Amino acid sequence: MTTRTGVYPGTFDPITLGHMDIIRRGAKLCDRLVIGVTTNPSKNPMFTIEERMEMVKREVADIAGEIHVVSFDSLLMDFAEREGASMIVRGLRAVADFEYEYQMAGMNQQLNSRIETVFLMADVSLQPIASRLVKEIALYGGDIRKFVPSAVNAEVAARVAAIGRKGSG
């Protein structure tokens, strides 16, 4: 019997409750879920890749199933192939996500047709959450506790304090 492996890629800067929802549900779809933490300099990361990996590892520790957290800096389909994945798990929040993800899934299929893309709709209560917006809210002194796990909230607050709030000075 072969192990069905799924890959859930992202920058996770920081990991949000929306990500956690997709991870919990994605873990039920495969025998082994690999969470691929990637670099994306264009997203202006708040945390290093090592810090993000530690956050993700800590937050997924209690989720049932075989879950691995690894970093990658390559084409997603090359990473998925190396991990032996048969599926890419992606979360969808809104129509705008669908348009981007649909195009990406089509390109990925052209690169490797043996790996399917599986879309999971975000829980309705979590649909507005985006890491980019969480960081922006935090930088302007807003409360992000509704959007991230409590330990992540503390880490974001500490980072914001270290870099100074936007608009002050």
Side-chain angles (χ1 to χ4, degrees), residues 106-133:
M107 294 295 287
N108 286 338
Q109 185 180 35
Q110 294 293 316
L111 293 171
N112 187 333
S113 62
R114 296 178 308 279
I115 300 175
E116 293 292 337
T117 300
V118 176
F119 296 112
L120 296 176
M121 294 300 297
D123 181 277
V124 173
S125 67
L126 304 173
Q127 284 180 0
I129 301 174
S131 292
R132 176 183 53 81
L133 297 176

Side-chain angles (χ1 to χ4, degrees), residues 14-15 17 47 51 54-56 58-59 144-145 147-159:
I15 189 166
L17 295 177
F47 296 96
E51 290 168 327
E54 285 307 311
M55 271 186 217
V56 174
R58 180 191 63 233
E59 297 302 327
I144 62 168
R145 287 179 292 182
F147 311 123
V148 297
S150 60
V152 173
N153 180 58
E155 288 168 312
V156 171
R159 185 57 47 95

Side-chain angles (χ1 to χ4, degrees), residues 39-114:
T39 56
N40 190 341
S42 69
K43 287 195 173 184
N44 193 21
M46 178 178 275
F47 296 96
T48 67
I49 193 148
E50 294 81 13
E51 290 168 327
R52 289 182 277 136
M53 285 187 58
E54 285 307 311
M55 271 186 217
V56 174
K57 286 177 184 176
R58 180 191 63 233
E59 297 302 327
V60 303
D62 294 335
I63 297 177
E66 186 180 340
I67 299 177
H68 301 269
V69 180
V70 298
S71 66
F72 76 102
D73 187 18
S74 65
L75 284 175
L76 172 58
M77 297 314 274
D78 291 343
F79 171 67
E81 183 80 33
R82 280 194 307 272
E83 290 296 328
S86 59
M87 73 176 84
I88 305 295
V89 176
R90 299 295 293 163
L92 293 176
R93 295 174 300 216
V95 173
D97 280 353
F98 178 77
E99 291 177 15
Y100 170 79
E101 293 292 346
Y102 182 79
Q103 182 179 21
M104 190 64 66
M107 294 295 287
N108 286 338
Q109 185 180 35
Q110 294 293 316
L111 293 171
N112 187 333
S113 62
R114 296 178 308 279

Side-chain angles (χ1 to χ4, degrees), residues 7-43:
V7 165
Y8 179 42
T11 52
F12 305 103
D13 184 48
I15 189 166
T16 68
L17 295 177
H19 292 131
M20 294 300 298
D21 176 55
I22 300 299
I23 291 167
R24 275 189 206 91
R25 293 167 48 215
K28 294 176 186 174
L29 298 177
C30 51
D31 304 309
R32 177 175 169 261
L33 181 63
V34 177
I35 301 170
V37 181
T38 188
T39 56
N40 190 341
S42 69
K43 287 195 173 184

